[in-house]
Amino acid sequence: MIFDTYETVALACLVLLVGYFLVKRIRFLNYYNIPEPVVGGFLVAIILTVVHQIWGLSFSFDTDLQRTMMLVFFSSIGLSANFARLVKGGKPLVIFLFAAAGLIALQNTVGIFGSILLGLDPAYGLIAGSVTLTGGHGTGAAWAEDLTARFGIQGAMELAMACATFGLVLGGIIGGPVASFLLKRLHKDEVPEDENVDDVEEAFEKPVYRRKINTRSVIETITMMSLCLFVGQHLDMWTKGTALQLPTFVWCLFTGVIIRNSLSLLFKFKVADEAIDVLGTVGLSIFLAIALMSLKLWELAGLALPIFVILIVQVAVMAVYAVFVTYRAMGKDYDAIVLSAGHCGFGLGATPTAVANMQAVTSHYGPSHKAFLIVPMVGAFFIDLLNASLLKVFVEVAAFFH
């Protein structure tokens, strides 16, 4: 059964509404910040899998729309990358970026060599590496398409969604224990006093100026996103088959970075961040809903156990890395502990998980202004730039062992 563009949009929106309903009413889903498109999409994927197994029916959706929504999302990431904020973050932010880069390299190394040891194609190791763990659902789904084309692997999209969801849950689970372990190593005088807990809300850094969403800001944002898609697709065509070849979404992301920072630096133009956030989130939500509706879960049967082993190792690596690298690199103080808990969140899951981890610590021990400045900034857009750049290298490593 084939669904056209209008039917695909209608079903995707229905999936999102189902996801919102379930996340609001099921405590586990709400507590671990499981995205609504993932909840609704997986539910529909399971239903369609049952229908396929019983009646042999298959369903296909408008892939052009899915791809466009993916490119819209990554364009929004690029348009959000304000390098002026990087300067404001100073030296600690740069150090944290290096720590995040080290984890990305380690995740991909563990993934590639773990998959080789377990008799899998090394491309599967990338999916169980930074593609889905540091990258999350959006990056996972985007790279799954390119890895399938490059390596000819099966079930990449299904696997990416499963790995990203696993990481999201475990990232929320290990953040607290890691912070507790590190807090025991601090001297009592280094931990903030309890009377500072009321100041926790002050820890959220808010921009001094944010343009409100209106007709003009939406049109400006759509114009910039359209340019990102136009330029990104042409750059993809011009570099295909060369040493500069990258997935299309990476070119759209880079184009967004150039547009945003050129407008800010050369013309003092204030980009409407809220409009970018809203339109980017809509793009990601529809993209994930369609991607998850299209999952063929029965293709995962042979990969489940080996990939699960790799993911368990990745969780252990994240915890050890947070304790022995992130914590030490960030200064071995209370702020470093909160940053380590946050790193567990977006190193395995997503920025909302990182923020939830940090809130769990600061609600008991007091605020960490440094952590709430650095982690959302890095997790929101800089990590995607970093991940895309490093993945280019590790794809070649995987191709060598393919």
Side-chain angles (χ1 to χ4, degrees):
M1 185 178 294
I2 301 174
F3 292 87
D4 63 22
T5 301
Y6 302 128
E7 293 167 339
T8 300
V9 170
L11 284 171
C13 292
L14 182 62
V15 164
L16 293 174
L17 293 175
V18 170
Y20 292 138
F21 177 83
L22 293 175
V23 169
K24 186 176 181 180
R25 285 163 176 77
I26 299 176
R27 187 173 180 275
F28 172 83
L29 300 176
N30 193 289
Y31 183 80
Y32 287 111
N33 300 291
I34 307 299
E36 292 87 353
V38 174
V39 175
F42 262 123
L43 178 61
V44 172
I46 292 170
I47 293 172
L48 295 183
T49 298
V50 172
V51 170
H52 173 81
Q53 296 296 96
I54 295 176
W55 290 288
L57 295 175
S58 294
F59 302 86
S60 62
F61 302 91
D62 187 345
T63 55
D64 289 338
L65 176 64
Q66 177 184 336
R67 185 171 182 274
T68 300
M69 291 298 101
M70 175 189 74
L71 297 180
V72 165
F73 166 65
F74 281 101
S75 297
S76 76
I77 295 294
L79 291 170
S80 299
N82 185 354
F83 285 122
R85 297 179 189 172
L86 178 62
V87 175
K88 289 181 181 179
K91 183 178 176 182
L93 191 146
V94 175
I95 293 173
F96 193 70
L97 276 173
F98 276 104
L103 177 66
I104 290 171
L106 190 57
Q107 285 178 336
N108 289 321
T109 301
V110 169
I112 289 173
F113 289 101
S115 61
I116 292 172
L117 289 173
L118 293 170
L120 298 177
D121 191 299
Y124 287 118
L126 289 176
I127 294 174
S130 76
V131 166
T132 58
L133 300 181
T134 293
H137 288 86
T139 303
W143 277 97
E145 181 181 325
D146 289 278
L147 292 174
T148 299
R150 175 80 182 267
F151 296 94
I153 56 178
Q154 299 297 315
M157 182 67 74
E158 294 82 356
L159 187 63
M161 295 299 97
C163 289
T165 302
F166 179 91
L168 199 65
V169 174
L170 269 294
I173 290 175
I174 70 168
V178 165
S180 297
F181 173 80
L182 291 172
L183 281 165
K184 292 177 182 177
R185 304 176 65 175
L186 273 187
H187 297 295
K188 288 185 178 180
D189 58 348
E190 295 181 74
V191 179
E193 297 293 333
D194 285 341
E195 65 256 19
N196 291 330
V197 172
D198 291 336
D199 297 329
V200 171
E201 294 300 323
E202 301 293 327
F204 292 92
E205 300 291 332
K206 296 182 183 294
V208 176
Y209 179 90
R210 286 180 72 90
R211 290 183 56 191
K212 293 182 179 180
I213 296 179
N214 53 35
T215 304
R216 179 174 174 177
S217 66
V218 169
I219 291 175
E220 289 172 354
T221 303
I222 291 175
T223 301
M224 290 187 291
M225 287 180 170
S226 300
L227 283 173
C228 290
L229 269 61
F230 174 77
V231 175
Q233 289 188 318
H234 278 78
L235 287 173
D236 176 59
M237 288 190 296
W238 294 336
T239 58
K240 197 173 291 292
T242 70
L244 295 175
Q245 181 175 343
L246 289 167
T248 308
F249 76 88
V250 178
W251 286 120
C252 292
L253 189 153
F254 282 147
T255 303
V257 173
I258 294 169
I259 290 174
R260 165 64 185 261
N261 290 280
S262 297
L263 290 174
S264 298
L265 294 173
L266 300 178
F267 304 101
K268 307 302 179 185
F269 178 77
K270 294 188 180 296
V271 174
D273 287 309
E274 287 193 16
I276 292 172
D277 292 343
V278 169
L279 293 176
T281 302
V282 169
L284 176 63
S285 298
I286 295 176
F287 162 60
L288 285 178
I290 299 172
L292 287 159
M293 288 191 305
S294 305
L295 293 183
K296 297 178 176 61
L297 296 177
W298 56 88
E299 293 182 358
L300 278 178
L303 297 170
L305 183 59
I307 294 297
F308 181 72
V309 172
I310 294 174
L311 290 174
I312 291 297
V313 174
Q314 294 282 26
V315 172
V317 166
M318 178 70 258
V320 171
Y321 192 90
V323 170
F324 291 101
V325 179
T326 306
Y327 172 65
R328 293 169 182 265
M330 298 312 299
K332 296 192 292 186
D333 55 11
Y334 176 69
D335 287 323
I337 290 175
V338 181
L339 281 163
S340 298
H343 199 184
C344 289
F346 82 76
L348 288 178
T351 304
T353 308
V355 172
N357 283 353
M358 295 191 298
Q359 285 176 324
V361 179
T362 56
S363 64
H364 288 92
Y365 298 99
S368 172
H369 296 268
K370 181 195 290 187
F372 277 99
L373 170 65
I374 292 175
V375 170
M377 196 182 300
V378 172
F381 41 79
F382 289 118
I383 196 65
D384 288 290
L385 295 172
L386 201 57
N387 198 17
S389 302
L390 291 173
L391 276 170
K392 172 70 173 173
V393 176
F394 281 97
V395 166
E396 298 306 319
V397 174
F400 177 80
F401 290 103
H402 179 60

